[in-house]
Amino acid sequence: MGKVINGYWGGYVVDSIADRMLDPTGGSSFLEIIGGHHLSALFQALGTSFKHLSATTSIQYPTATVIDDESLKPTGRELENTLADNVAVNGEFKSGALFTIGLSSGRPPSPNGRNQYLLIIDGTKGSLKLESDKPFPGPHVRDARIYLNGEKMAVDGAGGLSTNIQNLWQAYAAGHDEEYPSLDDAVILRRALADIERSAQEGRRVYCQ
């Protein structure tokens, strides 16, 4: 099974953006990119954001191997990784629902169906599950398998990242403000990411704006 890490960003970074990805001020950390995209989709889907949270982060890959952008083979260069590559968060949404979130980097694609993405939402009338075993997972990038109360569901208009972007621009052009993230949503997201970092650094619960 290899080293247990609770699970591309972990031990490997691509050459063209390697330095920026490992720069704390570069805006391209694992939490900001992977966490940010997933949280944005989650906030938009649920119509709510964090009320309070407690976070723990760790560095499972203290050294990152730089790989070529095209061949994905090691270039021979290695960089020190000082940014968290695994994140665990739990707390409460403003809606009153509780949540537990785990973000793990360094999961290579696997032919045996190893889950790369799993989202479970429980409500009073049922349970919704999204899952994917594809690399770079998440419903904003790839179409996940969707199950409602254990039954696999077909989704009309599914088409991955390009279709999602197209739908957002169409909603914007049509003036359907509730269907795409706004600048206010971006501010809420950036505050949530900062609260996660602050909670992890200070080792305490953080109450969010």
Side-chain angles (χ1 to χ4, degrees), residues 14-119:
V14 292
D15 193 20
S16 62
I17 56 174
D19 295 295
R20 179 159 55 89
M21 288 174 68
L22 300 179
D23 180 1
T25 65
S28 299
S29 69
F30 174 70
L31 174 61
E32 290 171 294
I33 300 299
I34 301 300
H37 279 88
H38 282 83
L39 288 181
S40 176
L42 186 62
F43 289 172
Q44 192 75 7
L46 298 181
T48 187
S49 56
F50 297 147
K51 178 180 180 180
H52 63 78
L53 60 86
S54 298
T56 301
T57 61
S58 69
I59 298 175
Q60 297 291 339
Y61 298 91
T63 301
T65 298
V66 179
I67 58 177
D68 183 78
D69 289 57
E70 299 296 332
S71 68
L72 301 183
K73 294 181 179 180
T75 64
R77 187 162 70 110
E78 292 190 342
L79 297 173
E80 180 184 7
N81 178 27
T82 60
L83 300 177
D85 50 37
N86 276 249
V87 181
V89 192
N90 66 74
E92 182 181 2
F93 285 115
K94 290 179 180 177
S95 65
L98 303 183
F99 68 86
T100 299
I101 298 173
L103 300 170
S104 299
S105 68
R107 289 186 174 187
S110 175
N112 60 4
R114 176 183 182 178
N115 254 347
Q116 301 285 336
Y117 176 82
L118 176 64
L119 172 65

Side-chain angles (χ1 to χ4, degrees), residues 99-153:
F99 68 86
T100 299
I101 298 173
L103 300 170
S104 299
S105 68
R107 289 186 174 187
S110 175
N112 60 4
R114 176 183 182 178
N115 254 347
Q116 301 285 336
Y117 176 82
L118 176 64
L119 172 65
I120 299 175
I121 301 174
D122 281 318
T124 57
K125 296 184 179 180
S127 178
L128 184 70
K129 181 174 74 170
L130 285 73
E131 64 179 13
S132 175
D133 55 8
K134 304 299 183 183
F136 301 104
H140 58 290
V141 177
R142 297 179 182 274
D143 296 326
R145 297 185 296 274
I146 302 176
Y147 300 86
L148 178 60
N149 295 329
E151 180 181 352
K152 190 173 182 179
M153 307 297 293

Side-chain angles (χ1 to χ4, degrees), residues 179-200:
E179 296 182 14
Y180 63 88
S182 66
L183 287 177
D184 289 338
D185 294 321
V187 171
I188 292 171
L189 176 62
R190 293 304 306 185
R191 286 175 175 168
L193 295 173
D195 287 337
I196 291 173
E197 290 183 331
R198 183 154 57 97
S199 175

